[in-house]
Amino acid sequence: MDLAQFGARPDGGVNRQALSPEDIAGRAQFITWCEEQGYACSSDAVGNLFVRRAGTDPYADPVLTGSHLDSQPTGGKFDGAFGVLAGLEALQALDDTGIITRRPVEVVAWTNEEGSRFQPGCMGSSVFIGATGMEDILGCRDRDGVLVADALAQTLAAAPNLPRRSMAFPIAAYVECHIEQGPILEQAGKTIGIVTGIQGYRWFAVEVRGQEAHSGTTPRRAQKDALKAASAMVNALETLMIDESDTLRFTIGRFEVEPGSPNVVPGRVFFTIDMRHPDQAVLAARAAAVEATCRAAAGTCEVTVTQTFATPPIAFDGAVVDLVAETADRLGLPSMRLGSGAGHDAGYMARVCPSAMIFVPCEKGISHHPAEFATSADLAAGTRVLADMLADLANR
Ligand code: HGY
Ligand code: MN
Ligand code: MN
């Protein structure tokens, strides 16, 4: 609730977009809470924040938990924030119970998980593991033309005393708490989601270029109307993405028309594609047809289709997934296994260390919306599973 004040929206939601002044302020508050608890904070070159609780062996690979502090522009209080603060709560629980671990335990707040202001998403975690290069992201711009390089420099400069941390350091295991962002747990009456994996997803950026013209004087057969071409592409894509089983996900979240004047034939349209599926073969086959589908509907306009984000379906580590299940059982919490429809930083961590996620229900499955809500009891239950798992994993 306190963190939600940073970027608070009048409708109860949160707008704390990556590397924004609101994100910078929220990060500073989080660091203050950590330092008040006596933990050392550090940051790597892409702004990932690390909070370390020492173990008896300072050289042992740490166990990590965490999530992200950035939000969607019309986000909720819990997406990302829960996982970061659950990590801090778990560290405090280890302190309160006097549990000593061999391995250090660290909480991480990954930079720009959402990919809303700057694409791609999971920017901090994918750069950390080396799946994306710094040079690939520093030149990304937001809608106002602001570079990641500049917004990142401002973010790092706002916490000048944070020691720098290397990237890709070895990690023993990673566990992330997150709200489900779907209705499955609530409908099944379960408190804990034992997340088995994350579906694959692809993002595309499509630019359609026509010709501005006078809406009154230009014959329609001579017009190169980028909006009408883009609309034809959207309808053709909708047909391409038909799936009677309703497993395939397809969203056009951004659709910009230029110059946006009532009496000028649109000369340019930019739109985004977000498509997802748990089966790599289905995802790859549909994604492979996107460009041709757009070209076929372009008419007299030009079109450029760029894939901006691609991550395959991933399965989490069986032993860590089973530990989520065993811990929930031991704590007497009703649980079930499920896959994640939403993407998470854990998807990248799974490429470098044994990883898993703990879900808790959110009301009606609403997320990426100001009405996003989870109960204190469910959030506390997820945090208890996390604290138990961290104590266990950090003594292996
Ligand atoms: O897009 C996603 O799935 C994540 O919630 N950012
Ligand atoms: Mn999230
Ligand atoms: Mn999200």
Side-chain angles (χ1 to χ4, degrees):
M1 294 304 132
D2 294 338
L3 187 67
Q5 297 317 305
F6 297 89
R9 292 167 46 94
D11 56 12
V14 170
N15 179 8
R16 190 171 56 238
Q17 295 184 55
L19 305 178
S20 65
E22 298 79 15
D23 188 21
I24 289 172
R27 285 160 167 259
Q29 174 61 75
F30 176 64
I31 291 167
T32 300
W33 284 331
C34 296
E35 289 175 345
E36 285 169 353
Q37 188 70 17
Y39 302 126
C41 296
S42 60
S43 170
D44 65 16
V46 73
N48 296 317
L49 272 180
F50 298 91
V51 185
R52 184 176 174 99
R53 181 181 190 264
T56 55
D57 177 355
Y59 301 106
D61 296 348
V63 173
L64 250 65
T65 184
S67 192
H68 59 95
L69 294 175
D70 65 298
S71 81
Q72 289 286 338
T74 57
K77 297 186 177 74
F78 304 93
D79 176 0
F82 165 47
V84 175
L85 295 178
L88 180 55
E89 284 286 342
L91 293 194
Q92 291 171 348
L94 297 178
D95 288 350
D96 295 347
T97 48
I99 287 180
I100 306 296
T101 59
R102 180 173 74 82
R103 297 178 179 284
V105 179
E106 301 201 31
V107 181
V108 57
W110 299 112
T111 294
N112 186 27
E113 185 279 341
E114 294 289 1
S116 172
R117 180 185 180 197
F118 299 110
Q119 291 78 43
C122 292
M123 191 174 271
S125 53
S126 65
V127 168
F128 175 84
I129 69 164
T132 305
M134 280 294 272
E135 66 284 354
D136 299 327
I137 59 132
L138 291 175
C140 295
R141 291 181 185 274
D142 68 7
R143 286 187 192 183
D144 301 324
V146 177
L147 284 167
V148 164
D150 296 333
L152 179 57
Q154 284 167 7
T155 302
L156 293 173
N161 305 324
L162 280 192
R164 274 288 168 276
R165 195 69 179 280
S166 67
M167 292 193 192
F169 55 79
I171 293 165
Y174 177 81
V175 185
E176 178 168 352
C177 280
H178 208 287
I179 55 170
E180 178 200 333
Q181 299 180 289
I184 297 170
L185 291 176
E186 183 181 60
Q187 287 171 358
K190 303 294 184 185
T191 306
I192 299 296
I194 304 155
V195 189
T196 53
I198 302 176
Q199 68 178 340
Y201 53 111
R202 305 284 182 95
W203 284 9
F204 294 87
V206 181
E207 184 181 35
V208 184
R209 289 177 310 287
Q211 178 72 49
E212 283 83 1
H214 194 298
S215 59
T217 59
T218 314
R220 287 173 63 182
R221 62 177 175 280
Q223 291 180 8
K224 293 183 179 179
D225 185 328
L227 173 69
K228 291 185 185 157
S231 303
M233 290 177 202
V234 170
N235 291 328
L237 287 166
E238 188 70 9
T239 303
L240 169 68
M241 304 291 180
I242 285 173
D243 171 13
E244 296 310 325
S245 71
D246 195 2
T247 307
L248 181 65
R249 296 288 176 264
F250 166 59
T251 299
I252 293 179
R254 185 177 295 175
F255 193 93
E256 293 162 356
V257 183
E258 294 172 14
S261 167
N263 47 2
V264 177
V265 174
R268 179 181 180 274
V269 168
F270 172 84
F271 68 88
T272 58
I273 295 168
D274 172 337
M275 56 185 294
R276 313 192 188 198
H277 199 281
D279 179 330
Q280 176 65 2
V282 172
L283 181 65
R286 299 290 180 108
V290 165
E291 179 159 9
T293 301
C294 290
R295 289 201 179 291
T300 56
C301 292
E302 301 295 318
V303 62
T304 307
V305 180
T306 312
Q307 184 170 271
T308 55
F309 196 8
T311 179
I314 62 105
F316 285 130
D317 178 273
V320 191
V321 172
D322 290 345
L323 186 58
V324 177
E326 289 152 22
T327 307
D329 289 348
R330 182 156 33 78
L331 294 174
L333 297 167
S335 64
M336 65 181 284
R337 289 174 187 254
L338 76 170
S340 177
H344 300 285
D345 296 300
Y348 281 94
M349 296 311 290
R351 300 187 190 187
V352 297
C353 70
S355 300
M357 294 186 76
I358 303 163
F359 274 177
V360 297
C362 56
E363 195 171 87
K364 298 191 186 72
I366 294 169
S367 185
H368 284 192
H369 186 285
E372 183 182 273
F373 180 76
T375 66
S376 306
D378 287 345
L379 296 168
T383 308
R384 289 175 62 212
V385 173
L386 177 68
D388 262 48
M389 288 182 68
L390 294 175
D392 183 320
L393 291 166
N395 278 321
R396 291 191 182 187

